[in-house]
mmCIF file of all heavy atoms in Angstrom:
data_model
loop_
_atom_site.group_PDB
_atom_site.id
_atom_site.type_symbol
_atom_site.label_atom_id
_atom_site.label_comp_id
_atom_site.label_asym_id
_atom_site.label_seq_id
_atom_site.Cartn_x
_atom_site.Cartn_y
_atom_site.Cartn_z
ATOM 1 N N MET A 29 14.272 52.686 2.707
ATOM 2 C CA MET A 29 13.110 51.919 3.154
ATOM 3 C C MET A 29 12.986 50.624 2.359
ATOM 4 O O MET A 29 12.689 49.558 2.913
ATOM 5 C CB MET A 29 11.831 52.748 3.022
ATOM 6 C CG MET A 29 11.690 53.859 4.064
ATOM 7 S SD MET A 29 10.380 55.054 3.654
ATOM 8 C CE MET A 29 8.930 53.977 3.666
ATOM 9 N N LEU A 30 13.239 50.714 1.057
ATOM 10 C CA LEU A 30 13.178 49.517 0.207
ATOM 11 C C LEU A 30 14.245 48.508 0.601
ATOM 12 O O LEU A 30 13.986 47.295 0.655
ATOM 13 C CB LEU A 30 13.339 49.922 -1.251
ATOM 14 C CG LEU A 30 13.155 48.834 -2.305
ATOM 15 C CD1 LEU A 30 11.748 48.265 -2.254
ATOM 16 C CD2 LEU A 30 13.445 49.391 -3.698
ATOM 17 N N LEU A 31 15.446 48.988 0.927
ATOM 18 C CA LEU A 31 16.516 48.088 1.351
ATOM 19 C C LEU A 31 16.185 47.438 2.694
ATOM 20 O O LEU A 31 16.408 46.231 2.881
ATOM 21 C CB LEU A 31 17.829 48.863 1.450
ATOM 22 C CG LEU A 31 19.062 48.053 1.867
ATOM 23 C CD1 LEU A 31 19.335 46.932 0.871
ATOM 24 C CD2 LEU A 31 20.285 48.964 1.997
ATOM 25 N N ILE A 32 15.645 48.216 3.617
ATOM 26 C CA ILE A 32 15.260 47.666 4.925
ATOM 27 C C ILE A 32 14.173 46.615 4.759
ATOM 28 O O ILE A 32 14.230 45.535 5.364
ATOM 29 C CB ILE A 32 14.784 48.795 5.853
ATOM 30 C CG1 ILE A 32 15.933 49.746 6.183
ATOM 31 C CG2 ILE A 32 14.210 48.214 7.143
ATOM 32 C CD1 ILE A 32 15.478 51.040 6.841
ATOM 33 N N GLY A 33 13.165 46.926 3.939
ATOM 34 C CA GLY A 33 12.087 45.969 3.716
ATOM 35 C C GLY A 33 12.585 44.679 3.098
ATOM 36 O O GLY A 33 12.146 43.583 3.466
ATOM 37 N N THR A 34 13.532 44.785 2.154
ATOM 38 C CA THR A 34 14.079 43.591 1.514
ATOM 39 C C THR A 34 14.873 42.752 2.507
ATOM 40 O O THR A 34 14.713 41.531 2.583
ATOM 41 C CB THR A 34 14.979 44.007 0.340
ATOM 42 O OG1 THR A 34 14.216 44.763 -0.611
ATOM 43 C CG2 THR A 34 15.570 42.777 -0.348
ATOM 44 N N GLY A 35 15.739 43.413 3.281
ATOM 45 C CA GLY A 35 16.543 42.670 4.245
ATOM 46 C C GLY A 35 15.723 42.003 5.317
ATOM 47 O O GLY A 35 15.941 40.830 5.650
ATOM 48 N N SER A 36 14.750 42.711 5.871
ATOM 49 C CA SER A 36 13.946 42.142 6.952
ATOM 50 C C SER A 36 13.011 41.056 6.458
ATOM 51 O O SER A 36 12.627 40.163 7.225
ATOM 52 C CB SER A 36 13.148 43.248 7.657
ATOM 53 O OG SER A 36 12.302 43.921 6.745
ATOM 54 N N ALA A 37 12.641 41.084 5.176
ATOM 55 C CA ALA A 37 11.743 40.067 4.634
ATOM 56 C C ALA A 37 12.406 38.700 4.509
ATOM 57 O O ALA A 37 11.714 37.681 4.449
ATOM 58 C CB ALA A 37 11.208 40.507 3.266
ATOM 59 N N ILE A 38 13.741 38.666 4.447
ATOM 60 C CA ILE A 38 14.431 37.375 4.302
ATOM 61 C C ILE A 38 14.250 36.516 5.547
ATOM 62 O O ILE A 38 13.751 35.385 5.456
ATOM 63 C CB ILE A 38 15.920 37.602 3.965
ATOM 64 C CG1 ILE A 38 16.049 38.269 2.593
ATOM 65 C CG2 ILE A 38 16.673 36.268 3.986
ATOM 66 C CD1 ILE A 38 17.478 38.666 2.238
ATOM 67 N N PRO A 39 14.638 36.967 6.748
ATOM 68 C CA PRO A 39 14.378 36.125 7.928
ATOM 69 C C PRO A 39 12.895 36.009 8.248
ATOM 70 O O PRO A 39 12.470 35.001 8.822
ATOM 71 C CB PRO A 39 15.134 36.844 9.053
ATOM 72 C CG PRO A 39 15.262 38.254 8.599
ATOM 73 C CD PRO A 39 15.390 38.182 7.105
ATOM 74 N N TRP A 40 12.104 37.016 7.879
ATOM 75 C CA TRP A 40 10.669 36.964 8.153
ATOM 76 C C TRP A 40 10.042 35.746 7.476
ATOM 77 O O TRP A 40 9.160 35.099 8.034
ATOM 78 C CB TRP A 40 9.997 38.242 7.658
ATOM 79 C CG TRP A 40 8.626 38.448 8.201
ATOM 80 C CD1 TRP A 40 7.483 37.793 7.821
ATOM 81 C CD2 TRP A 40 8.235 39.334 9.251
ATOM 82 N NE1 TRP A 40 6.409 38.230 8.564
ATOM 83 C CE2 TRP A 40 6.849 39.178 9.444
ATOM 84 C CE3 TRP A 40 8.925 40.253 10.030
ATOM 85 C CZ2 TRP A 40 6.142 39.905 10.401
ATOM 86 C CZ3 TRP A 40 8.220 40.981 10.973
ATOM 87 C CH2 TRP A 40 6.850 40.803 11.150
ATOM 88 N N GLY A 41 10.491 35.424 6.280
ATOM 89 C CA GLY A 41 9.917 34.293 5.568
ATOM 90 C C GLY A 41 10.425 32.938 6.028
ATOM 91 O O GLY A 41 9.874 31.912 5.625
ATOM 92 N N LEU A 42 11.482 32.913 6.858
ATOM 93 C CA LEU A 42 12.068 31.649 7.282
ATOM 94 C C LEU A 42 11.843 31.336 8.756
ATOM 95 O O LEU A 42 11.877 30.168 9.150
ATOM 96 C CB LEU A 42 13.581 31.660 7.014
ATOM 97 C CG LEU A 42 14.027 31.778 5.556
ATOM 98 C CD1 LEU A 42 15.541 31.941 5.480
ATOM 99 C CD2 LEU A 42 13.581 30.575 4.750
ATOM 100 N N MET A 43 11.604 32.355 9.593
ATOM 101 C CA MET A 43 11.674 32.115 11.029
ATOM 102 C C MET A 43 10.512 31.297 11.571
ATOM 103 O O MET A 43 10.686 30.554 12.536
ATOM 104 C CB MET A 43 11.802 33.440 11.793
ATOM 105 C CG MET A 43 10.683 34.422 11.611
ATOM 106 S SD MET A 43 11.132 35.981 12.445
ATOM 107 C CE MET A 43 9.661 36.957 12.153
ATOM 108 N N ASP A 44 9.330 31.380 10.959
ATOM 109 C CA ASP A 44 8.231 30.544 11.442
ATOM 110 C C ASP A 44 8.548 29.065 11.254
ATOM 111 O O ASP A 44 8.315 28.241 12.148
ATOM 112 C CB ASP A 44 6.934 30.897 10.706
ATOM 113 C CG ASP A 44 6.411 32.277 11.083
ATOM 114 O OD1 ASP A 44 6.798 33.254 10.433
ATOM 115 O OD2 ASP A 44 5.630 32.366 12.039
ATOM 116 N N GLY A 45 9.059 28.716 10.058
ATOM 117 C CA GLY A 45 9.417 27.329 9.812
ATOM 118 C C GLY A 45 10.560 26.860 10.689
ATOM 119 O O GLY A 45 10.568 25.737 11.177
ATOM 120 N N LEU A 46 11.553 27.725 10.921
ATOM 121 C CA LEU A 46 12.658 27.374 11.800
ATOM 122 C C LEU A 46 12.181 27.087 13.211
ATOM 123 O O LEU A 46 12.627 26.133 13.854
ATOM 124 C CB LEU A 46 13.678 28.518 11.840
ATOM 125 C CG LEU A 46 14.700 28.570 10.693
ATOM 126 C CD1 LEU A 46 15.457 29.882 10.747
ATOM 127 C CD2 LEU A 46 15.648 27.393 10.788
ATOM 128 N N ALA A 47 11.265 27.920 13.700
ATOM 129 C CA ALA A 47 10.790 27.759 15.074
ATOM 130 C C ALA A 47 10.111 26.413 15.283
ATOM 131 O O ALA A 47 10.208 25.819 16.359
ATOM 132 C CB ALA A 47 9.821 28.886 15.424
ATOM 133 N N ILE A 48 9.431 25.922 14.261
ATOM 134 C CA ILE A 48 8.762 24.621 14.360
ATOM 135 C C ILE A 48 9.756 23.491 14.133
ATOM 136 O O ILE A 48 9.688 22.433 14.764
ATOM 137 C CB ILE A 48 7.623 24.522 13.322
ATOM 138 C CG1 ILE A 48 6.597 25.637 13.556
ATOM 139 C CG2 ILE A 48 6.950 23.161 13.395
ATOM 140 C CD1 ILE A 48 5.876 25.557 14.873
ATOM 141 N N SER A 49 10.719 23.694 13.233
ATOM 142 C CA SER A 49 11.595 22.607 12.809
ATOM 143 C C SER A 49 12.695 22.262 13.795
ATOM 144 O O SER A 49 13.300 21.201 13.672
ATOM 145 C CB SER A 49 12.232 22.959 11.453
ATOM 146 O OG SER A 49 11.242 23.102 10.471
ATOM 147 N N VAL A 50 12.981 23.147 14.740
ATOM 148 C CA VAL A 50 14.088 22.868 15.651
ATOM 149 C C VAL A 50 13.661 22.054 16.866
ATOM 150 O O VAL A 50 14.447 21.869 17.792
ATOM 151 C CB VAL A 50 14.763 24.176 16.121
ATOM 152 C CG1 VAL A 50 15.423 24.890 14.956
ATOM 153 C CG2 VAL A 50 13.768 25.092 16.815
ATOM 154 N N VAL A 51 12.421 21.563 16.880
ATOM 155 C CA VAL A 51 11.970 20.684 17.956
ATOM 156 C C VAL A 51 11.375 19.428 17.328
ATOM 157 O O VAL A 51 11.025 19.422 16.159
ATOM 158 C CB VAL A 51 10.911 21.373 18.860
ATOM 159 C CG1 VAL A 51 11.468 22.636 19.474
ATOM 160 C CG2 VAL A 51 9.632 21.658 18.088
ATOM 161 N N PRO A 52 11.255 18.341 18.077
ATOM 162 C CA PRO A 52 10.606 17.150 17.534
ATOM 163 C C PRO A 52 9.189 17.456 17.072
ATOM 164 O O PRO A 52 8.501 18.306 17.647
ATOM 165 C CB PRO A 52 10.597 16.182 18.726
ATOM 166 C CG PRO A 52 11.727 16.636 19.577
ATOM 167 C CD PRO A 52 11.778 18.119 19.437
ATOM 168 N N LYS A 53 8.762 16.763 16.045
ATOM 169 C CA LYS A 53 7.487 17.056 15.390
ATOM 170 C C LYS A 53 6.303 16.987 16.331
ATOM 171 O O LYS A 53 5.347 17.765 16.226
ATOM 172 C CB LYS A 53 7.307 16.070 14.231
ATOM 173 C CG LYS A 53 6.119 16.339 13.345
ATOM 174 C CD LYS A 53 6.130 15.335 12.191
ATOM 175 C CE LYS A 53 4.919 15.508 11.295
ATOM 176 N NZ LYS A 53 4.919 14.516 10.207
ATOM 177 N N GLU A 54 6.339 16.063 17.297
ATOM 178 C CA GLU A 54 5.188 15.906 18.189
ATOM 179 C C GLU A 54 5.036 17.073 19.161
ATOM 180 O O GLU A 54 3.995 17.219 19.792
ATOM 181 C CB GLU A 54 5.283 14.580 18.960
ATOM 182 C CG GLU A 54 6.460 14.473 19.916
ATOM 183 C CD GLU A 54 7.691 13.912 19.237
ATOM 184 O OE1 GLU A 54 7.674 13.803 17.995
ATOM 185 O OE2 GLU A 54 8.668 13.606 19.948
ATOM 186 N N ARG A 55 6.072 17.905 19.287
ATOM 187 C CA ARG A 55 5.963 19.085 20.154
ATOM 188 C C ARG A 55 5.792 20.357 19.337
ATOM 189 O O ARG A 55 6.158 21.445 19.784
ATOM 190 C CB ARG A 55 7.199 19.215 21.058
ATOM 191 C CG ARG A 55 7.472 18.036 21.963
ATOM 192 C CD ARG A 55 6.297 17.613 22.833
ATOM 193 N NE ARG A 55 5.718 18.655 23.664
ATOM 194 C CZ ARG A 55 6.171 18.995 24.869
ATOM 195 N NH1 ARG A 55 7.220 18.391 25.373
ATOM 196 N NH2 ARG A 55 5.557 19.934 25.566
ATOM 197 N N ALA A 56 5.220 20.240 18.143
ATOM 198 C CA ALA A 56 5.070 21.395 17.259
ATOM 199 C C ALA A 56 4.208 22.475 17.878
ATOM 200 O O ALA A 56 4.458 23.665 17.715
ATOM 201 C CB ALA A 56 4.482 20.954 15.912
ATOM 202 N N GLY A 57 3.153 22.069 18.575
ATOM 203 C CA GLY A 57 2.290 23.053 19.227
ATOM 204 C C GLY A 57 3.044 23.840 20.277
ATOM 205 O O GLY A 57 2.899 25.055 20.395
ATOM 206 N N MET A 58 3.859 23.137 21.070
ATOM 207 C CA MET A 58 4.670 23.812 22.079
ATOM 208 C C MET A 58 5.624 24.802 21.411
ATOM 209 O O MET A 58 5.757 25.951 21.849
ATOM 210 C CB MET A 58 5.453 22.777 22.890
ATOM 211 C CG MET A 58 6.360 23.368 23.970
ATOM 212 S SD MET A 58 8.032 23.739 23.369
ATOM 213 C CE MET A 58 8.680 22.087 23.144
ATOM 214 N N ALA A 59 6.267 24.374 20.319
ATOM 215 C CA ALA A 59 7.198 25.262 19.630
ATOM 216 C C ALA A 59 6.495 26.486 19.065
ATOM 217 O O ALA A 59 7.000 27.608 19.146
ATOM 218 C CB ALA A 59 7.913 24.506 18.505
ATOM 219 N N ALA A 60 5.301 26.262 18.480
ATOM 220 C CA ALA A 60 4.541 27.389 17.937
ATOM 221 C C ALA A 60 4.154 28.366 19.029
ATOM 222 O O ALA A 60 4.219 29.587 18.843
ATOM 223 C CB ALA A 60 3.290 26.868 17.217
ATOM 224 N N GLY A 61 3.744 27.837 20.173
ATOM 225 C CA GLY A 61 3.360 28.708 21.279
ATOM 226 C C GLY A 61 4.539 29.488 21.831
ATOM 227 O O GLY A 61 4.432 30.685 22.098
ATOM 228 N N VAL A 62 5.679 28.813 22.015
ATOM 229 C CA VAL A 62 6.864 29.486 22.545
ATOM 230 C C VAL A 62 7.337 30.561 21.568
ATOM 231 O O VAL A 62 7.646 31.696 21.958
ATOM 232 C CB VAL A 62 7.995 28.473 22.811
ATOM 233 C CG1 VAL A 62 9.289 29.183 23.172
ATOM 234 C CG2 VAL A 62 7.594 27.530 23.931
ATOM 235 N N PHE A 63 7.390 30.212 20.278
ATOM 236 C CA PHE A 63 7.833 31.193 19.286
ATOM 237 C C PHE A 63 6.858 32.361 19.201
ATOM 238 O O PHE A 63 7.272 33.522 19.106
ATOM 239 C CB PHE A 63 7.975 30.537 17.917
ATOM 240 C CG PHE A 63 8.398 31.501 16.843
ATOM 241 C CD1 PHE A 63 9.684 32.014 16.823
ATOM 242 C CD2 PHE A 63 7.501 31.901 15.865
ATOM 243 C CE1 PHE A 63 10.074 32.905 15.833
ATOM 244 C CE2 PHE A 63 7.888 32.794 14.880
ATOM 245 C CZ PHE A 63 9.180 33.296 14.853
ATOM 246 N N GLY A 64 5.560 32.062 19.235
ATOM 247 C CA GLY A 64 4.577 33.142 19.197
ATOM 248 C C GLY A 64 4.715 34.064 20.384
ATOM 249 O O GLY A 64 4.653 35.294 20.250
ATOM 250 N N ALA A 65 4.910 33.477 21.566
ATOM 251 C CA ALA A 65 5.089 34.296 22.764
ATOM 252 C C ALA A 65 6.376 35.112 22.666
ATOM 253 O O ALA A 65 6.410 36.297 23.031
ATOM 254 C CB ALA A 65 5.113 33.412 24.007
ATOM 255 N N SER A 66 7.443 34.486 22.160
ATOM 256 C CA SER A 66 8.705 35.212 21.985
ATOM 257 C C SER A 66 8.545 36.346 20.990
ATOM 258 O O SER A 66 9.062 37.455 21.191
ATOM 259 C CB SER A 66 9.809 34.261 21.499
ATOM 260 O OG SER A 66 10.043 33.233 22.430
ATOM 261 N N ARG A 67 7.810 36.066 19.903
ATOM 262 C CA ARG A 67 7.627 37.080 18.873
ATOM 263 C C ARG A 67 6.859 38.275 19.409
ATOM 264 O O ARG A 67 7.292 39.425 19.274
ATOM 265 C CB ARG A 67 6.891 36.473 17.675
ATOM 266 C CG ARG A 67 6.431 37.504 16.659
ATOM 267 C CD ARG A 67 5.682 36.839 15.516
ATOM 268 N NE ARG A 67 6.454 36.902 14.296
ATOM 269 C CZ ARG A 67 6.189 36.206 13.210
ATOM 270 N NH1 ARG A 67 5.195 35.365 13.201
ATOM 271 N NH2 ARG A 67 6.926 36.343 12.129
ATOM 272 N N VAL A 68 5.705 38.025 20.029
ATOM 273 C CA VAL A 68 4.876 39.133 20.505
ATOM 274 C C VAL A 68 5.586 39.902 21.617
ATOM 275 O O VAL A 68 5.613 41.135 21.626
ATOM 276 C CB VAL A 68 3.506 38.623 20.975
ATOM 277 C CG1 VAL A 68 2.695 39.751 21.591
ATOM 278 C CG2 VAL A 68 2.746 38.003 19.806
ATOM 279 N N SER A 69 6.174 39.161 22.568
ATOM 280 C CA SER A 69 6.872 39.821 23.668
ATOM 281 C C SER A 69 8.095 40.588 23.153
ATOM 282 O O SER A 69 8.334 41.732 23.543
ATOM 283 C CB SER A 69 7.303 38.799 24.718
ATOM 284 O OG SER A 69 6.187 38.133 25.258
ATOM 285 N N GLY A 70 8.872 39.942 22.275
ATOM 286 C CA GLY A 70 10.059 40.595 21.743
ATOM 287 C C GLY A 70 9.721 41.829 20.932
ATOM 288 O O GLY A 70 10.371 42.877 21.062
ATOM 289 N N GLU A 71 8.696 41.731 20.081
ATOM 290 C CA GLU A 71 8.301 42.880 19.283
ATOM 291 C C GLU A 71 7.727 43.981 20.167
ATOM 292 O O GLU A 71 7.966 45.172 19.932
ATOM 293 C CB GLU A 71 7.288 42.452 18.217
ATOM 294 C CG GLU A 71 7.917 41.572 17.127
ATOM 295 C CD GLU A 71 6.900 40.976 16.184
ATOM 296 O OE1 GLU A 71 5.681 41.067 16.499
ATOM 297 O OE2 GLU A 71 7.294 40.431 15.141
#
């Protein structure tokens, strides 16, 4: 469980920033919404 928690915490701490950073800054809201929808639907 400790190993799983450690491994999953690595992308968990980076993916929000990645989701915003891979689009132009002025579309940050769109990126946040798409990533949020992907996250909730995917989970």
Side-chain angles (χ1 to χ4, degrees):
M29 287 167 62
L30 186 62
L31 181 60
I32 294 167
T34 301
S36 59
I38 295 174
W40 195 285
L42 297 173
M43 60 186 182
D44 291 89
L46 277 170
I48 301 296
S49 298
V50 295
V51 301
K53 187 176 177 181
E54 64 271 11
R55 301 307 305 275
M58 179 270 290
V62 172
F63 179 71
S66 299
R67 170 181 249 167
V68 175
S69 299
E71 291 172 349

